[in-house]
Structure formats: structure tokens, C-alpha cells
Amino acid sequence: MRRARPGAPPRGTAERALTSVEAGADFDEARDRSTERRTETTTETREVREAREARAKEQPVSKLWHITLSVSGVESPLQEVRRGLEQLAHDHPFLLTSRYANDHAEIRYWEEARDLHDAAAVALRLWGEHRQTAKLPPWEIVGLEVIDRETYHQRIAEGYGPPPAAPVGVHPY
């Protein structure tokens, strides 16, 4: 799906189109459960409620986790670092922002996972799995922060969270 004026490519891209991704069914079910608790009223039958609760027990509820991944290594030409990070952003559509220099970079994005362990495992694989396809520098991961959505928003509201990153995209330090 493309969101732009008819005949005009999206700003800042040559041919890139926006795509949307649905949240998992467990997000809707979690919202429904919290709504039921607040209203304490329900019109569903006992059998329907028990079936829904049984499904909820079988499926772990996913959460959103804010990831900050720091990588570092030998110096690489800035143009190659930028091109690699832009390709990573294209390959990994939830990438929020990347900041880079010729010997290090920081990547921020949201990850959907069951718990912190799963989110961290996926984050630790991100750089290595995309190193060849995105032609990323042969840098090592030197830092990882994984925080849940509530903690992220609390930090931002209190003004002591991660400094607001540059606007969405790939930017030099």
C-alpha cells in the first residue's frame, strides 16, 4: 500500500512503499481482558468465556520491547556504514533510528516478544543475521538495552530516558 499524492513517490525514497503489519491476536485478547476487568460486565456465555480463557492460557501474551543495540569495530568508510544501515532498515521494517560514525553505531527499534529473554535473543542475532545481506561492517555488539514499553514511556515522561534519537531514519552522530 502506498501513501502519497497520486503519481508522487514517498518523500525521501526512490521506490519504497509503506507496509503495515498486524499485531498478534494476543494483543486484542489482552485488551479485551483488561476492558472486562474495568467494566465488570459481560454478555458472553460461560462456555464462550471459558473457551476464550483456555486459549489465552495456551498462548503466551506478546509484549513490545524497546531495543537499543550498540555495535563497534574497525573503521569503515562512512558511506558504506550508512548504506548498510539503510539496507538494514529496509530489511527490518520496525527499525526506528540508527546513528553511526565510522567505527560505531547505535540502532533503536521495537521488538515483539513473549518476554525479555526472547527479545534480547532476537536483538543479539539481528546484526549477525543481516551482516551479509545488508553488507554491514564486521563489527561486534558491544551493548544491548531491552526495556518494556511501560518503562520506556515512563523514562521519556520523566525526562531521564534515552536521549531522544534523531528522527526516524539513519543519521550520523
Side-chain angles (χ1 to χ4, degrees):
M1 174 164 116
R2 197 175 115 179
R3 297 180 187 182
R5 291 188 327 260
R11 277 191 288 163
T13 62
E15 300 268 337
R16 195 165 162 193
L18 295 175
T19 58
S20 61
V21 178
E22 292 184 29
D26 53 346
F27 279 108
D28 293 333
E29 291 172 4
R31 183 194 66 223
D32 294 343
R33 283 193 303 274
S34 67
T35 302
E36 282 179 11
R37 282 188 209 115
R38 282 193 303 267
T39 61
E40 294 288 327
T41 61
T42 182
T43 58
E44 63 187 12
T45 65
R46 187 177 70 167
E47 294 83 16
V48 171
R49 184 174 49 250
E50 288 173 355
R52 183 180 42 77
E53 289 172 356
R55 279 194 317 272
K57 288 179 184 176
E58 293 171 9
Q59 297 176 342
V61 176
S62 295
K63 291 176 61 174
L64 284 177
W65 301 88
H66 186 265
I67 309 291
T68 303
L69 184 69
S70 300
V71 294
S72 179
V74 297
E75 290 188 11
S76 295
L78 283 176
Q79 296 84 358
E80 289 181 24
V81 174
R82 179 179 181 89
R83 188 211 37 75
L85 290 172
E86 287 173 344
Q87 183 63 45
L88 178 62
H90 178 63
D91 294 346
H92 196 283
F94 295 108
L95 197 70
L96 290 178
T97 186
S98 298
R99 297 187 303 170
Y100 66 94
N102 61 351
D103 63 346
H104 65 281
E106 178 184 87
I107 301 164
R108 294 182 183 184
Y109 67 98
W110 289 98
E111 184 68 61
E112 180 181 351
R114 180 175 46 93
D115 58 22
L116 181 133
H117 296 256
D118 289 349
V122 171
L124 290 170
R125 290 193 313 264
L126 177 73
W127 188 262
E129 288 180 355
H130 290 276
R131 184 175 289 156
Q132 288 184 339
T133 58
K135 297 186 175 122
L136 296 166
W139 295 344
E140 297 295 321
I141 296 172
V142 295
L144 173 66
E145 180 184 51
V146 181
I147 57 175
D148 66 352
R149 186 176 178 191
E150 294 79 22
T151 302
Y152 175 81
H153 288 296
Q154 180 183 5
R155 284 184 178 182
I156 297 301
E158 293 176 356
Y160 70 87
V168 172
V170 177
H171 307 279
Y173 272 103

